[in-house]
PDB file of all heavy atoms in Angstrom:
ATOM      1  N   TRP A 257       2.100  24.422 -15.938  1.00 98.00           N
ATOM      2  CA  TRP A 257       2.567  24.694 -17.301  1.00 98.00           C
ATOM      3  C   TRP A 257       1.437  25.230 -18.175  1.00 98.00           C
ATOM      4  O   TRP A 257       1.636  26.125 -18.980  1.00 98.00           O
ATOM      5  CB  TRP A 257       3.188  23.450 -17.922  1.00 98.00           C
ATOM      6  CG  TRP A 257       4.519  23.090 -17.339  1.00 98.00           C
ATOM      7  CD1 TRP A 257       5.400  23.923 -16.701  1.00 98.00           C
ATOM      8  CD2 TRP A 257       5.136  21.806 -17.348  1.00 98.00           C
ATOM      9  NE1 TRP A 257       6.517  23.225 -16.308  1.00 98.00           N
ATOM     10  CE2 TRP A 257       6.383  21.926 -16.692  1.00 98.00           C
ATOM     11  CE3 TRP A 257       4.746  20.561 -17.826  1.00 98.00           C
ATOM     12  CZ2 TRP A 257       7.253  20.855 -16.524  1.00 98.00           C
ATOM     13  CZ3 TRP A 257       5.606  19.479 -17.660  1.00 98.00           C
ATOM     14  CH2 TRP A 257       6.848  19.635 -17.023  1.00 98.00           C
ATOM     15  N   PHE A 274       4.913  32.353 -29.809  1.00 95.00           N
ATOM     16  CA  PHE A 274       3.990  31.280 -30.184  1.00 95.00           C
ATOM     17  C   PHE A 274       4.583  29.920 -29.821  1.00 95.00           C
ATOM     18  O   PHE A 274       3.902  29.055 -29.274  1.00 95.00           O
ATOM     19  CB  PHE A 274       3.677  31.326 -31.684  1.00 95.00           C
ATOM     20  CG  PHE A 274       2.556  32.253 -32.035  1.00 95.00           C
ATOM     21  CD1 PHE A 274       2.805  33.586 -32.310  1.00 95.00           C
ATOM     22  CD2 PHE A 274       1.254  31.796 -32.101  1.00 95.00           C
ATOM     23  CE1 PHE A 274       1.776  34.450 -32.634  1.00 95.00           C
ATOM     24  CE2 PHE A 274       0.217  32.655 -32.430  1.00 95.00           C
ATOM     25  CZ  PHE A 274       0.484  33.986 -32.702  1.00 95.00           C
ATOM     26  N   ARG A 282       1.965  21.700 -24.734  1.00 97.00           N
ATOM     27  CA  ARG A 282       2.263  20.304 -25.086  1.00 97.00           C
ATOM     28  C   ARG A 282       2.927  19.565 -23.922  1.00 97.00           C
ATOM     29  O   ARG A 282       2.655  18.384 -23.705  1.00 97.00           O
ATOM     30  CB  ARG A 282       3.141  20.255 -26.333  1.00 97.00           C
ATOM     31  CG  ARG A 282       2.361  20.594 -27.590  1.00 97.00           C
ATOM     32  CD  ARG A 282       3.214  20.485 -28.819  1.00 97.00           C
ATOM     33  NE  ARG A 282       2.391  20.708 -30.004  1.00 97.00           N
ATOM     34  CZ  ARG A 282       2.877  21.070 -31.164  1.00 97.00           C
ATOM     35  NH1 ARG A 282       4.191  21.236 -31.323  1.00 97.00           N
ATOM     36  NH2 ARG A 282       2.074  21.245 -32.192  1.00 97.00           N
ATOM     37  N   LEU A 310      -8.706  14.236 -16.801  1.00 98.00           N
ATOM     38  CA  LEU A 310      -9.319  14.198 -18.133  1.00 98.00           C
ATOM     39  C   LEU A 310      -9.886  15.564 -18.508  1.00 98.00           C
ATOM     40  O   LEU A 310      -9.756  16.012 -19.649  1.00 98.00           O
ATOM     41  CB  LEU A 310     -10.408  13.123 -18.180  1.00 98.00           C
ATOM     42  CG  LEU A 310      -9.875  11.688 -18.158  1.00 98.00           C
ATOM     43  CD1 LEU A 310     -10.968  10.723 -17.727  1.00 98.00           C
ATOM     44  CD2 LEU A 310      -9.313  11.315 -19.521  1.00 98.00           C
ATOM     45  N   ALA A 338     -14.459  12.753 -18.940  1.00 96.00           N
ATOM     46  CA  ALA A 338     -14.425  13.339 -17.604  1.00 96.00           C
ATOM     47  C   ALA A 338     -15.840  13.478 -17.040  1.00 96.00           C
ATOM     48  O   ALA A 338     -16.094  13.138 -15.872  1.00 96.00           O
ATOM     49  CB  ALA A 338     -13.742  14.705 -17.644  1.00 96.00           C
ATOM     50  N   GLN A 342     -17.371  11.697 -13.751  1.00 92.00           N
ATOM     51  CA  GLN A 342     -17.870  12.586 -12.702  1.00 92.00           C
ATOM     52  C   GLN A 342     -19.317  12.257 -12.343  1.00 92.00           C
ATOM     53  O   GLN A 342     -19.686  12.227 -11.175  1.00 92.00           O
ATOM     54  CB  GLN A 342     -17.750  14.045 -13.167  1.00 92.00           C
ATOM     55  CG  GLN A 342     -18.183  15.068 -12.172  1.00 92.00           C
ATOM     56  CD  GLN A 342     -17.322  15.117 -10.926  1.00 92.00           C
ATOM     57  OE1 GLN A 342     -16.138  14.849 -10.974  1.00 92.00           O
ATOM     58  NE2 GLN A 342     -17.921  15.433  -9.805  1.00 92.00           N
ATOM     59  N   ASP A 362     -18.298  25.749 -24.240  1.00 78.00           N
ATOM     60  CA  ASP A 362     -17.399  26.733 -24.839  1.00 78.00           C
ATOM     61  C   ASP A 362     -16.727  26.225 -26.101  1.00 78.00           C
ATOM     62  O   ASP A 362     -16.036  26.971 -26.778  1.00 78.00           O
ATOM     63  CB  ASP A 362     -16.317  27.161 -23.838  1.00 78.00           C
ATOM     64  CG  ASP A 362     -16.885  28.006 -22.712  1.00 78.00           C
ATOM     65  OD1 ASP A 362     -18.050  28.442 -22.819  1.00 78.00           O
ATOM     66  OD2 ASP A 362     -16.166  28.217 -21.728  1.00 78.00           O
TER      67      ASP A 362
END
Side-chain angles (χ1 to χ4, degrees):
W257 288 336
F274 274 89
R282 286 183 175 159
L310 289 160
Q342 182 65 31
D362 290 348

